[in-house]
Amino acid sequence: QVQLVESGGGLVQPGGSLRLSCAASGSIFSIDVMRWYRQAPGKQREVVAVISFDGSTNYAESVKGRFTISRDNAKNTVSLQMNSLKPEDTAVYYCNADILFSYGRGFIGSWGQGIQVTVSS
């Protein structure tokens, strides 16, 4: 019964910034990898940023140097700071996390509902 809820999306002009946040709640023992995906109209969903439990990160080439993923393990949150936004960043952004519900069992991938980011002048 875990929920991931994204917030912080909206409309921004090219070159602007937005910060997305995702909060996980429910019966959570631990959260391993956390990710941000996005899906633009007519395109496949793609990974844009990944952060491991120890804080190591990976980014899609298209967002390197512009986006920063971070997490707060105490609060079960993950954020995505998006700078120098481009029209091609327009998409629905999804939070994803591998969640351990009880010790000794496997992690389960969980998804947020998605939040719209529109970059347009």
Side-chain angles (χ1 to χ4, degrees), residues 47-66:
V47 176
V48 298
V50 181
I51 185 166
S52 66
F53 183 81
D54 66 3
S56 62
T57 59
N58 285 286
Y59 298 92
E61 288 294 329
S62 60
V63 307
K64 284 184 178 179
R66 300 188 298 120

Side-chain angles (χ1 to χ4, degrees), residues 3-4 8 18 26 28 40 42-43 52 65 72 85-86 90 101 119:
Q3 292 190 79
L4 274 63
L18 284 174
I28 300 171
K43 300 185 67 177
S52 66
D72 186 332
L85 284 162
K86 304 174 180 179
T90 296
F101 294 95
V119 184

Side-chain angles (χ1 to χ4, degrees), residues 2 7 17 43 53 66 71 92 104 111:
V2 173
S7 62
S17 298
K43 300 185 67 177
F53 183 81
R66 300 188 298 120
R71 66 189 290 167
V92 176
W111 292 87

Side-chain angles (χ1 to χ4, degrees), residues 11-23:
L11 175 65
V12 66
Q13 291 186 303
S17 298
L18 284 174
R19 184 176 179 86
L20 303 181
S21 295
C22 173

